[in-house]
Amino acid sequence: MEAFHSSLQLLDAEKRGIEREGQEVQKRQDRHSYRGCALRENIDKQDLFGLMGPIIGMSPDKKTEIPGMQEERTGLRGVCGVGTLPEAECASSPLATSVDRTGGAEDEELTNLNWLHENLLQNFTLGGPEAQPSGSPLFDIEGDYGSSQGPTSSSSSAHSRSRERDSLKSKPPFSFSLLIYMAIEQSPSKSLPVKEIYGWILEHFPYFSNAPTGWKNSVRHNLSLNKCFRKVERSLGKANGKGSLWCVDPEYRPNLIQALKKQHFPAAHAFCTPPASPPRASSPPHHFLEGCSFKESDIDAATAMMLLNSAPGHHVDPCNSDGPLDLSRPDAFLVSSDPKQDHNYSSAALQRCSSRSSSSSLSSLDEGGCDRRQSRRAGSEGFHSDEDSDLWDERGTHQTSRRPPAIKWPVRKRARREAKPELDDELKEAAGSLLHLAGIRS
DNA sequence: GCACGTGTAAACAAAT
DNA sequence: GATTTGTTTACACGTG
């Protein structure tokens, strides 16, 4: 943990150095563009760890212009805002209670995706929030927003309006799984009801505000089918809305992170790259960074931190199914180097996902969806115990006749954790390599 | 061609 | 009874 804090300090120092270079770099980046994106060179690395302020993805003015956004956002304030989710506060599940008790400060640093939204996503925009006329984070992610112009370039207001229109009609470059993941991860309690997932998506991807309502069906479909997501029963004693809370299955969080990065941040393949490979070899492919002003070390720093978070023993996961994690305890964030105390399943999950082609993603996890549902229905008490997990680990039925049971069932979690120490080490080394690449001493 | 991931639509049941 | 939520099935399409 001390090393982590020192890394943060080093990041801060580096950030200041980067900022000094900022203007010079901006000039360079103005000369480049890629798919309409121009990322800030001087990414605030503090932000990478979820220390940022409120979400700035969309200006209120623009949001109010979107039909139907107002009512959707009302229920969202508790999610993206500072407060805690009322439902989650009262949720009876160990997850919700343990998470909500925390206040989430350190948890925010280690697990949330604010860094993604406010940096990776937002910094895809032209020069950051001050320069972006539209609040949509996909504003410049999508390639059809016109050529990128640097923040210092003379992007006319007409051009901005044009891009804004495009942002409203262009589909987000993320799958529903990732959208849901981002929504859930950005919530203080790491769990959201469906309606607030809708709200988050609507707020951050205005495209859906004008899209046919089928996308909500898709969201629900994903939540049900994708075993990355778990249902958490709300508190029975309080009538606080329909349905359940949904959270990210900790076992598949690395997969989601990887899918997220594969979708837009191919530097993520460093996660699957053995540490022996040269650091630069794990740099994002040219097609991605080409023209982007996203310094590779920035990406690496971000991915390194995520990898650290994903690495066994470094992960703080409120959704840990091994039992409620009381994040209010000061030792809740102690970094364990003991594999036996590793409550993270990322290594196996990562291995699973890296075993497939680059297209490996989330729905491969759907193979077990039916079993998950079975166990949900058997007792929808939210999270499974290990025994419960073992149940849906070992049953081998497949969901549909169209999906042959090419089941990559997670093996028993504990057994897997103990059986993959070398993989754990690789992950740690990879994290170290990435941090080193980013100029951070781990 | 095949397997897989993803998106979409539709139907249905249960809950509110 | 209407609406929302959750589940399931089916199909289409793109990709490797």
Side-chain angles (χ1 to χ4, degrees):
Chain A
M1 203 58 184
E2 291 178 0
F4 178 77
H5 284 304
S6 64
S7 297
L8 286 179
Q9 292 171 356
L10 285 168
L11 277 174
D12 192 30
E14 184 177 350
K15 166 201 162 189
R16 287 192 291 269
I18 290 174
E19 284 172 346
R20 281 194 299 271
E21 303 171 6
Q23 284 202 327
E24 189 176 340
V25 169
Q26 294 286 7
K27 291 176 185 174
R28 285 202 303 271
Q29 84 182 42
D30 288 349
R31 295 193 291 267
H32 300 283
S33 66
Y34 170 74
R35 285 169 52 88
C37 74
L39 305 178
R40 282 186 308 177
E41 183 84 9
N42 54 339
I43 284 191
D44 188 333
K45 294 195 174 183
Q46 279 185 322
D47 288 358
L48 292 177
F49 312 128
L51 298 175
M52 309 71 73
I55 294 170
I56 343 168
M58 179 183 295
S59 70
D61 292 344
K62 299 305 174 188
K63 279 188 260 191
T64 54
E65 292 175 6
I66 300 163
M69 280 297 295
Q70 200 67 38
E71 61 271 19
E72 291 288 356
R73 285 170 50 225
T74 55
L76 194 63
R77 292 199 178 95
V79 179
C80 296
V82 181
T84 55
L85 190 66
E87 292 89 348
E89 281 179 350
C90 304
S92 59
S93 75
L95 161 83
T97 51
S98 61
V99 170
D100 291 335
R101 271 196 303 268
T102 67
E106 290 181 86
D107 179 52
E108 295 281 306
E109 292 182 28
L110 293 173
T111 63
N112 80 13
L113 281 182
N114 287 349
W115 65 268
L116 171 74
H117 174 75
E118 299 198 13
N119 289 283
L120 298 187
L121 294 186
Q122 192 156 327
N123 286 299
F124 262 103
T125 60
L126 302 178
E130 65 275 50
Q132 66 170 340
S134 166
S136 173
L138 75 155
F139 204 113
D140 287 291
I141 290 173
E142 294 266 306
D144 52 357
Y145 294 127
S147 61
S148 162
Q149 303 181 24
T152 58
S153 69
S154 58
S155 57
S156 66
S157 61
H159 179 67
S160 301
R161 281 192 297 270
S162 169
R163 295 190 312 143
E164 182 179 340
R165 282 196 305 270
D166 290 341
S167 75
L168 297 179
K169 67 185 180 188
S170 298
K171 213 171 176 182
F174 302 100
S175 68
F176 280 113
S177 305
L178 295 179
L179 293 177
I180 297 167
Y181 173 56
M182 288 187 273
I184 292 174
E185 284 296 302
Q186 279 207 341
S187 71
S189 60
K190 300 291 183 292
S191 59
L192 283 182
V194 169
K195 191 167 186 175
E196 296 189 3
I197 294 175
Y198 294 159
W200 188 93
I201 293 174
L202 274 174
E203 180 171 11
H204 295 83
F205 298 94
Y207 160 82
F208 290 106
S209 63
N210 294 321
T213 54
W215 68 272
K216 291 184 177 179
N217 191 9
S218 297
V219 168
R220 294 196 305 271
H221 168 82
N222 256 275
L223 286 170
S224 289
L225 202 63
N226 201 321
K227 75 186 203 187
C228 297
F229 307 113
R230 283 190 181 182
K231 193 170 67 176
V232 185
E233 292 298 305
R234 293 187 195 230
S235 172
L236 298 176
K238 186 177 177 180
N240 46 5
K242 284 183 184 179
S244 307
L245 299 173
W246 292 89
C247 74
V248 177
D249 189 327
E251 181 168 7
Y252 299 102
R253 177 179 276 113
N255 301 44
L256 287 157
I257 291 173
Q258 187 177 39
L260 194 58
K261 287 180 293 173
K262 273 182 177 170
Q263 202 140 3
H264 274 291
F265 304 98
H269 66 126
F271 280 65
C272 303
T273 304
S277 59
R280 281 296 156 193
S282 63
S283 297
H286 225 48
H287 69 83
F288 175 73
L289 285 178
E290 187 174 79
C292 285
S293 55
F294 206 163
K295 205 160 62 179
E296 294 185 19
S297 62
D298 290 338
I299 294 179
D300 289 335
T303 54
M305 296 315 301
M306 293 205 305
L307 181 52
L308 266 186
N309 199 24
S310 302
H314 295 76
H315 190 68
V316 179
D317 198 329
C319 290
N320 197 311
S321 60
D322 277 4
L325 174 63
D326 187 355
L327 300 179
S328 63
R329 288 182 298 126
D331 60 342
F333 296 93
L334 285 179
V335 175
S336 168
S337 58
D338 183 359
K340 291 180 180 177
Q341 296 182 6
D342 172 25
H343 289 221
N344 184 285
Y345 316 130
S346 60
S347 57
L350 204 57
Q351 190 184 41
R352 276 198 310 275
C353 88
S354 62
S355 67
R356 257 193 68 77
S357 65
S358 63
S359 67
S360 75
S361 183
L362 315 169
S363 291
S364 62
L365 311 169
D366 291 354
E367 315 294 354
C370 58
D371 301 280
R372 174 166 151 255
R373 277 186 288 276
Q374 284 172 7
S375 74
R376 277 182 188 163
R377 284 173 171 172
S380 54
E381 302 300 318
F383 286 78
H384 307 277
S385 65
D386 265 3
E387 291 74 16
D388 198 359
S389 300
D390 289 343
L391 278 179
W392 51 284
D393 283 343
E394 291 173 352
R395 286 179 302 223
T397 59
H398 59 281
Q399 183 179 353
T400 67
S401 57
R402 296 195 312 118
R403 294 286 174 88
I407 309 285
K408 303 180 229 26
W409 294 104
V411 296
R412 287 176 177 268
K413 292 174 181 177
R414 289 205 180 106
R416 186 173 61 239
R417 289 198 295 271
E418 292 169 3
K420 301 288 181 186
E422 68 282 357
L423 188 61
D424 295 351
D425 290 340
E426 287 182 6
L427 282 169
K428 289 175 184 173
E429 290 179 23
S433 299
L434 288 170
L435 285 173
H436 176 74
L437 185 62
I440 305 162
R441 285 194 303 267
S442 61

